[in-house]
Protein backbone atom coordinates (compact mmCIF):
# COMPACT_ATOMS: atom_id res chain seq x y z
CA UNK A 1 0.00 0.00 0.00
CA UNK A 2 1.49 3.30 -1.09
CA UNK A 3 1.81 5.92 1.66
CA UNK A 4 -0.55 8.90 1.62
CA UNK A 5 0.99 11.60 -0.59
CA UNK A 6 1.73 15.10 0.60
CA UNK A 7 0.48 18.17 -1.21
CA UNK A 8 1.82 21.70 -1.49
CA UNK A 9 1.09 24.79 -3.55
CA UNK A 10 3.59 27.58 -4.12
CA UNK A 11 2.93 31.04 -5.45
CA UNK A 12 6.20 31.77 -7.19
CA UNK A 13 7.29 35.17 -8.39
CA UNK A 14 9.77 34.73 -11.24
CA UNK A 15 12.32 37.50 -11.88
CA UNK A 16 11.62 39.55 -15.01
CA UNK A 17 8.04 38.26 -15.16
CA UNK A 18 5.09 40.43 -14.21
CA UNK A 19 2.66 37.67 -13.27
CA UNK A 20 3.40 34.93 -10.71
CA UNK A 21 2.89 31.24 -11.36
CA UNK A 22 1.32 28.65 -9.07
CA UNK A 23 2.99 25.26 -8.61
CA UNK A 24 0.84 22.51 -7.13
CA UNK A 25 2.95 19.52 -6.13
CA UNK A 26 2.07 16.00 -5.05
CA UNK A 27 4.92 14.26 -3.22
CA UNK A 28 5.44 10.52 -2.99
CA UNK A 29 8.35 8.66 -1.37
CA UNK A 30 10.13 8.04 -4.70
CA UNK A 31 8.47 10.37 -7.27
CA UNK A 32 6.39 13.53 -7.58
CA UNK A 33 3.92 15.36 -9.85
CA UNK A 34 3.83 19.08 -10.64
CA UNK A 35 0.93 21.14 -12.01
CA UNK A 36 1.90 24.68 -13.00
CA UNK A 37 -0.35 27.49 -14.19
CA UNK A 38 -0.13 31.21 -14.82
CA UNK A 39 -3.92 31.51 -14.99
CA UNK A 40 -4.05 31.22 -18.77
CA UNK A 41 -1.83 28.28 -19.64
CA UNK A 42 -0.87 25.19 -17.69
CA UNK A 43 2.03 22.73 -17.69
CA UNK A 44 2.64 19.32 -16.18
CA UNK A 45 5.75 17.55 -14.90
CA UNK A 46 5.38 13.93 -13.87
CA UNK A 47 8.74 12.81 -12.50
CA UNK A 48 8.78 9.02 -12.55
CA UNK A 49 10.64 6.81 -10.08
CA UNK A 50 13.30 6.00 -12.69
CA UNK A 51 13.90 9.66 -13.47
CA UNK A 52 14.13 10.60 -9.79
CA UNK A 53 16.46 7.68 -9.11
CA UNK A 54 18.68 8.71 -12.03
CA UNK A 55 18.80 12.36 -10.93
CA UNK A 56 19.54 11.35 -7.33
CA UNK A 57 22.41 9.11 -8.52
CA UNK A 58 23.85 11.99 -10.57
CA UNK A 59 23.94 14.16 -7.46
CA UNK A 60 25.18 11.28 -5.31
CA UNK A 61 22.09 11.42 -3.09
CA UNK A 62 19.54 8.91 -1.80
CA UNK A 63 16.13 9.18 -3.40
CA UNK A 64 14.54 10.27 -0.12
CA UNK A 65 17.01 13.15 0.27
CA UNK A 66 16.43 14.26 -3.30
CA UNK A 67 12.64 14.27 -2.81
CA UNK A 68 12.97 16.14 0.51
CA UNK A 69 15.20 18.81 -1.02
CA UNK A 70 12.90 19.30 -4.00
CA UNK A 71 9.88 19.58 -1.69
CA UNK A 72 11.72 22.17 0.39
CA UNK A 73 12.33 24.46 -2.61
CA UNK A 74 9.02 23.88 -4.39
CA UNK A 75 6.87 23.90 -1.25
CA UNK A 76 8.09 27.33 -0.09
CA UNK A 77 10.02 29.97 -1.95
CA UNK A 78 13.46 29.95 -0.36
CA UNK A 79 15.30 33.24 0.04
CA UNK A 80 18.61 33.36 -1.78
CA UNK A 81 17.47 30.84 -4.37
CA UNK A 82 17.11 31.97 -7.98
CA UNK A 83 13.99 30.50 -9.60
CA UNK A 84 13.40 30.28 -13.32
CA UNK A 85 10.58 29.25 -15.65
CA UNK A 86 12.04 29.63 -19.11
CA UNK A 87 10.84 28.62 -22.56
CA UNK A 88 12.02 25.17 -23.64
CA UNK A 89 10.46 25.16 -27.14
CA UNK A 90 7.28 23.64 -28.50
CA UNK A 91 5.26 25.20 -25.70
CA UNK A 92 7.31 23.46 -23.03
CA UNK A 93 8.85 25.23 -20.07
CA UNK A 94 11.90 24.51 -17.93
CA UNK A 95 11.49 24.99 -14.18
CA UNK A 96 14.74 25.61 -12.33
CA UNK A 97 15.99 26.71 -8.90
CA UNK A 98 19.43 27.18 -7.36
CA UNK A 99 20.88 26.24 -3.99
CA UNK A 100 24.28 26.07 -2.33
CA UNK A 101 25.99 22.91 -1.18
CA UNK A 102 29.39 22.98 0.52
CA UNK A 103 30.03 26.48 -0.79
CA UNK A 104 29.12 25.58 -4.39
CA UNK A 105 26.07 27.02 -6.12
CA UNK A 106 24.07 24.28 -7.85
CA UNK A 107 20.98 24.32 -10.07
CA UNK A 108 18.25 21.75 -10.58
CA UNK A 109 16.06 21.81 -13.70
CA UNK A 110 12.94 19.90 -14.69
CA UNK A 111 11.19 20.09 -18.06
CA UNK A 112 7.46 20.67 -17.94
CA UNK A 113 5.21 19.80 -20.87
CA UNK A 114 2.21 21.79 -21.95
CA UNK A 115 -0.96 20.46 -20.38
CA UNK A 116 -3.40 18.88 -22.86
CA UNK A 117 -6.23 20.59 -20.94
CA UNK A 118 -4.97 23.83 -19.45
CA UNK A 119 -8.44 24.76 -18.19
CA UNK A 120 -8.80 21.53 -16.22
CA UNK A 121 -5.27 21.79 -14.84
CA UNK A 122 -5.83 25.39 -13.79
CA UNK A 123 -9.16 24.45 -12.23
CA UNK A 124 -7.44 21.68 -10.26
CA UNK A 125 -4.90 24.15 -8.90
CA UNK A 126 -7.66 26.62 -7.99
CA UNK A 127 -9.73 23.88 -6.34
CA UNK A 128 -6.75 22.88 -4.24
CA UNK A 129 -6.19 26.50 -3.21
CA UNK A 130 -9.88 26.96 -2.38
CA UNK A 131 -9.99 23.78 -0.33
CA UNK A 132 -6.78 24.74 1.45
CA UNK A 133 -8.23 28.18 2.12
CA UNK A 134 -11.41 26.63 3.52
CA UNK A 135 -9.40 24.32 5.76
CA UNK A 136 -7.27 27.19 6.94
CA UNK A 137 -10.38 29.30 7.57
CA UNK A 138 -11.92 26.49 9.61
CA UNK A 139 -8.70 26.08 11.55
CA UNK A 140 -8.62 29.82 12.16
CA UNK A 141 -12.21 29.72 13.43
CA UNK A 142 -11.45 26.75 15.66
CA UNK A 143 -8.26 28.36 16.94
CA UNK A 144 -10.09 31.64 17.54
CA UNK A 145 -12.87 29.92 19.46
CA UNK A 146 -10.33 27.99 21.47
CA UNK A 147 -8.46 31.21 22.15
CA UNK A 148 -11.64 32.94 23.28
CA UNK A 149 -12.45 30.05 25.62
CA UNK A 150 -8.95 30.13 27.00
CA UNK A 151 -9.23 33.90 27.37
CA UNK A 152 -12.46 33.56 29.34
CA UNK A 153 -10.95 30.86 31.52
CA UNK A 154 -7.86 32.99 32.03
CA UNK A 155 -10.01 35.96 33.08
CA UNK A 156 -11.92 33.74 35.50
CA UNK A 157 -8.68 32.40 36.92
CA UNK A 158 -7.33 35.93 37.23
CA UNK A 159 -10.46 37.15 39.02
CA UNK A 160 -10.39 34.13 41.32
CA UNK A 161 -6.72 34.71 42.01
CA UNK A 162 -7.38 38.35 42.87
CA UNK A 163 -10.24 37.26 45.14
CA UNK A 164 -7.99 34.79 46.90
CA UNK A 165 -5.31 37.44 47.29
CA UNK A 166 -7.79 39.87 48.81
CA UNK A 167 -9.17 37.25 51.17
CA UNK A 168 -5.64 36.31 52.14
CA UNK A 169 -4.75 39.95 52.82
CA UNK A 170 -7.90 40.43 54.92
CA UNK A 171 -7.24 37.23 56.84
CA UNK A 172 -3.64 38.20 57.51
CA UNK A 173 -4.69 41.68 58.63
CA UNK A 174 -7.26 40.22 61.04
CA UNK A 175 -4.77 37.70 62.40
CA UNK A 176 -2.11 40.38 62.84
CA UNK A 177 -4.59 42.66 64.60
CA UNK A 178 -5.58 39.89 67.03
CA UNK A 179 -1.97 38.98 67.55
CA UNK A 180 -1.05 42.60 68.27
CA UNK A 181 -3.93 42.88 70.73
CA UNK A 182 -2.84 39.76 72.60
CA UNK A 183 0.78 40.86 72.51
CA UNK A 184 -0.04 44.31 73.86
CA UNK A 185 -2.16 42.86 76.66
CA UNK A 186 0.67 40.48 77.58
CA UNK A 187 3.10 43.38 77.58
CA UNK A 188 0.76 45.41 79.83
CA UNK A 189 0.47 42.50 82.27
CA UNK A 190 4.22 42.06 82.28
CA UNK A 191 4.67 45.78 83.00
CA UNK A 192 2.16 45.56 85.87
CA UNK A 193 3.96 42.57 87.33
CA UNK A 194 7.29 44.32 86.96
CA UNK A 195 5.98 47.48 88.66
CA UNK A 196 4.40 45.40 91.42
CA UNK A 197 7.63 43.53 92.02
CA UNK A 198 9.56 46.81 92.06
CA UNK A 199 7.14 48.31 94.61
CA UNK A 200 7.33 45.22 96.80
CA UNK A 201 11.10 45.28 96.68
CA UNK A 202 11.29 48.99 97.61
CA UNK A 203 8.66 48.76 100.43
CA UNK A 204 9.78 45.45 101.89
CA UNK A 205 13.53 46.07 101.90
CA UNK A 206 13.74 48.16 105.16
CA UNK A 207 11.50 45.93 107.37
CA UNK A 208 13.37 42.93 106.12
CA UNK A 209 16.68 44.47 107.18
CA UNK A 210 15.27 45.34 110.65
CA UNK A 211 14.01 41.81 111.08
CA UNK A 212 17.36 40.43 110.09
CA UNK A 213 19.19 42.69 112.62
CA UNK A 214 16.71 41.72 115.36
CA UNK A 215 17.16 38.07 114.57
CA UNK A 216 20.91 38.48 114.76
CA UNK A 217 20.66 40.28 118.14
CA UNK A 218 18.34 37.67 119.55
CA UNK A 219 20.48 34.87 118.37
CA UNK A 220 23.56 36.57 119.87
CA UNK A 221 21.80 37.09 123.23
CA UNK A 222 20.61 33.51 123.22
CA UNK A 223 24.11 32.32 122.58
CA UNK A 224 25.46 34.52 125.41
CA UNK A 225 22.80 33.26 127.82
CA UNK A 226 23.55 29.72 126.86
CA UNK A 227 27.23 30.24 127.38
CA UNK A 228 26.58 31.79 130.80
CA UNK A 229 24.35 28.94 131.83
CA UNK A 230 26.92 26.43 130.71
CA UNK A 231 29.65 28.22 132.65
CA UNK A 232 27.49 28.35 135.80
CA UNK A 233 26.65 24.71 135.48
CA UNK A 234 30.27 23.74 135.09
CA UNK A 235 31.17 25.78 138.16
CA UNK A 236 28.49 24.19 140.27
CA UNK A 237 29.55 20.77 139.14
CA UNK A 238 33.14 21.52 140.01
CA UNK A 239 32.21 22.84 143.48
CA UNK A 240 30.04 19.92 144.23
CA UNK A 241 32.68 17.48 143.23
CA UNK A 242 35.19 19.17 145.51
CA UNK A 243 32.78 19.18 148.43
CA UNK A 244 31.97 15.59 147.97
CA UNK A 245 35.60 14.61 147.88
CA UNK A 246 36.46 16.59 151.04
CA UNK A 247 33.45 15.55 153.07
CA UNK A 248 33.81 11.89 152.33
CA UNK A 249 33.57 10.03 155.83
CA UNK A 250 36.60 8.32 157.05
CA UNK A 251 36.01 4.75 158.36
CA UNK A 252 38.10 2.95 160.96
CA UNK A 253 40.51 0.38 159.82
CA UNK A 254 39.48 -3.03 160.88
CA UNK A 255 42.18 -5.19 162.49
CA UNK A 256 41.92 -8.85 162.06
CA UNK A 257 42.00 -10.86 165.36
CA UNK A 258 45.03 -12.86 166.26
CA UNK A 259 44.67 -16.48 167.04
Amino acid sequence: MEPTPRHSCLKLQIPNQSEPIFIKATWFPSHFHLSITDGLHAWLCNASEDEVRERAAQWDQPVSDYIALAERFLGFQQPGSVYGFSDAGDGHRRLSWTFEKEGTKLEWRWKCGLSPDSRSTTAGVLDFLMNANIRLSEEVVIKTQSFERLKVEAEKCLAQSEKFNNEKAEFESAIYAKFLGVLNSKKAKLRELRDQISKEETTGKLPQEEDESTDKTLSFDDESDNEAIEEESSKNLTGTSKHVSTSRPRGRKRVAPRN
Side-chain angles (χ1 to χ4, degrees):
M1 182 177 179
E2 190 174 13
T4 303
R6 301 179 303 276
H7 301 279
S8 65
C9 189
L10 171 64
K11 179 182 178 181
L12 184 62
Q13 185 66 52
I14 304 297
N16 301 324
Q17 290 188 11
S18 58
E19 298 297 330
I21 62 173
F22 292 86
I23 304 175
K24 176 183 174 294
T26 303
W27 305 97
F28 298 92
S30 57
H31 63 284
F32 60 89
H33 301 316
L34 301 179
S35 299
I36 306 172
T37 182
D38 59 1
L40 181 61
H41 304 90
W43 299 265
L44 299 176
C45 176
N46 296 322
S48 65
E49 294 183 0
D50 294 335
E51 290 176 328
V52 172
R53 190 182 305 110
E54 182 180 357
R55 295 288 185 93
Q58 291 176 358
W59 294 99
D60 196 18
Q61 284 183 321
V63 173
S64 58
D65 291 350
Y66 187 92
I67 294 291
L69 190 59
E71 183 177 0
R72 174 186 171 189
F73 280 85
L74 296 182
F76 301 93
Q77 186 167 359
Q78 299 297 321
S81 178
V82 179
Y83 290 85
F85 193 59
S86 59
D87 187 7
D90 296 334
H92 301 312
R93 291 293 184 95
R94 183 175 288 107
L95 177 65
S96 63
W97 63 93
T98 63
F99 63 95
E100 288 189 3
K101 182 178 180 181
E102 298 178 357
T104 304
K105 193 170 186 179
L106 306 176
E107 183 182 41
W108 283 2
R109 294 187 297 267
W110 280 91
K111 189 176 181 180
C112 304
L114 186 64
S115 173
D117 190 352
S118 295
R119 182 178 298 179
S120 177
T121 302
T122 302
V125 173
L126 293 177
D127 287 342
F128 176 80
L129 291 175
M130 290 298 296
N131 292 332
N133 183 60
I134 292 172
R135 288 195 302 270
L136 289 176
S137 299
E138 292 175 351
E139 290 181 4
V140 169
V141 172
I142 294 173
K143 296 290 184 183
T144 303
Q145 293 175 351
S146 178
F147 174 76
E148 292 297 331
R149 288 194 298 269
L150 292 176
K151 184 179 179 181
V152 172
E153 292 295 330
E155 291 176 352
K156 289 182 180 179
C157 291
L158 181 61
Q160 191 173 10
S161 176
E162 292 179 354
K163 179 181 177 182
F164 287 160
N165 288 332
N166 294 332
E167 292 178 354
K168 179 183 177 184
E170 293 176 358
F171 175 76
E172 290 178 351
S173 299
I175 291 297
Y176 290 156
K178 292 181 181 179
F179 174 76
L180 290 176
V182 174
L183 182 62
N184 292 330
S185 64
K186 295 295 182 182
K187 287 182 177 180
K189 289 183 179 179
L190 290 174
R191 283 195 295 268
E192 292 177 0
L193 292 175
R194 183 184 63 189
D195 296 340
Q196 183 178 356
I197 292 172
S198 299
K199 290 179 181 179
E200 290 178 355
E201 288 180 351
T202 54
T203 56
K205 185 175 183 181
L206 184 59
Q208 185 176 2
E209 290 178 353
E210 292 177 354
D211 292 340
E212 289 178 355
S213 61
T214 303
D215 293 339
K216 290 181 180 179
T217 304
L218 291 175
S219 62
F220 179 76
D221 293 339
D222 291 340
E223 290 177 358
S224 300
D225 294 340
N226 292 332
E227 289 178 358
I229 293 171
E230 289 179 357
E231 288 179 358
E232 186 66 26
S233 298
S234 63
K235 286 181 181 180
N236 292 334
L237 289 174
T238 306
T240 303
S241 62
K242 287 181 181 181
H243 179 74
V244 171
S245 61
T246 54
S247 64
R248 181 181 295 175
R250 295 179 179 179
R252 291 182 178 181
K253 189 176 183 181
R254 296 180 66 181
V255 178
R258 294 181 180 179
N259 293 330

